[in-house]
Amino acid sequence: MEKNLIQKIKKMPLTVLSTFGHNGLDWVHSLVDNHSQILIMPAFSFFRSLDRIKLHNKNIKFKEKKTLILLAKLFSKMFYNDERNKVQRRQFIKNKKDMICFEKNLIFWILNCKIENLEKNLFLGIHYAFVNLYKIDLNKKKIIVHQEHVPWHSEKYYKIFNSNFIFMMRDPRAAIAGSVLRMQKHNSDQIYANQFDHVLLYWKFSEKFTKSADKKLLNKILILKNEDMHENLKKEMFKTSRFLDIKFSKTLLKQTFL
């Protein structure tokens, strides 16, 4: 049974949700959250999380296979302890028992799945551990959807997973204004120059990735517009379901979290 589950996850196609920056990405995530054919975890941005772990654990040798066991433990603790993962839309490990179960299943995957690429191994293993923790029936699932909040890891996803992409965008004036308001809220009514540069980088990188793509990659990218979704959500989610190659469902019109 476990071998069948491992093989199923290995073969599932991946679609990455990303953004041009402060455009309603969490909204799209919440709309696809409850579709019966989609395996989707609460947003945790795999590559951004991995970068954060690398930053705080500089002695780790990431080219060694035994490092995966350590990373499994670090990810499990991050999901449980990090305050950023305790908000409603992200929390899925709610107590120490959950953390132990998740870590145990993630380590089992690492020891048994035989994937050479460390990042692919860890990414799929996290989803395997999530499936086991929540006792999800994978027979009903057709696709993995994952939110990577920042767009600058898109090239990695394409190279490692041959993934599809859904980019969320809106009028840049509204997106930048929203970003400024959010930063002011967290910075005692101030916004710093490097933070504003960060907002512009969202747009420039997303534009670069989508416009410089070859023909093969272009067919793997769907761009959703916030304003179009507000004007006719059903139409846009029909388009999304076709792109994901799943059946349209009314669940795509209602926000849920886990």
Side-chain angles (χ1 to χ4, degrees), residues 121-159:
N121 195 338
L122 188 58
F123 176 88
L124 294 179
I126 287 170
H127 285 78
Y128 169 84
F130 175 75
V131 166
N132 274 279
L133 179 62
Y134 278 84
K135 297 179 172 56
I136 295 170
D137 183 3
L138 269 194
N139 291 320
K140 298 178 181 178
K141 304 300 181 183
K142 190 174 181 180
I143 186 173
I144 297 173
V145 175
H146 175 69
Q147 182 188 143
E148 183 72 48
H149 189 72
V150 294
W152 39 87
H153 295 296
S154 301
E155 290 167 345
K156 289 183 182 177
Y157 279 108
Y158 184 49
K159 181 179 179 180

Side-chain angles (χ1 to χ4, degrees), residues 15-28:
T15 293
V16 176
L17 301 179
S18 198
T19 182
F20 281 70
H22 206 83
N23 291 309
L25 185 63
D26 289 323
W27 179 30
V28 177

Side-chain angles (χ1 to χ4, degrees), residues 3 10-11 13 16 44 48 51 53 55 94 98 109 121 126 132 144 148 156 164 211 227 231 239 251:
K3 288 184 179 180
K10 279 184 177 181
K11 293 178 181 178
V16 176
F44 70 91
R48 186 166 65 163
D51 285 344
I53 286 173
L55 181 65
K94 298 185 170 101
D98 285 351
W109 168 278
N121 195 338
I126 287 170
N132 274 279
I144 297 173
E148 183 72 48
K156 289 183 182 177
N164 293 335
K211 285 191 173 181
E227 291 82 4
E231 185 173 332
K239 180 168 68 176
T251 63

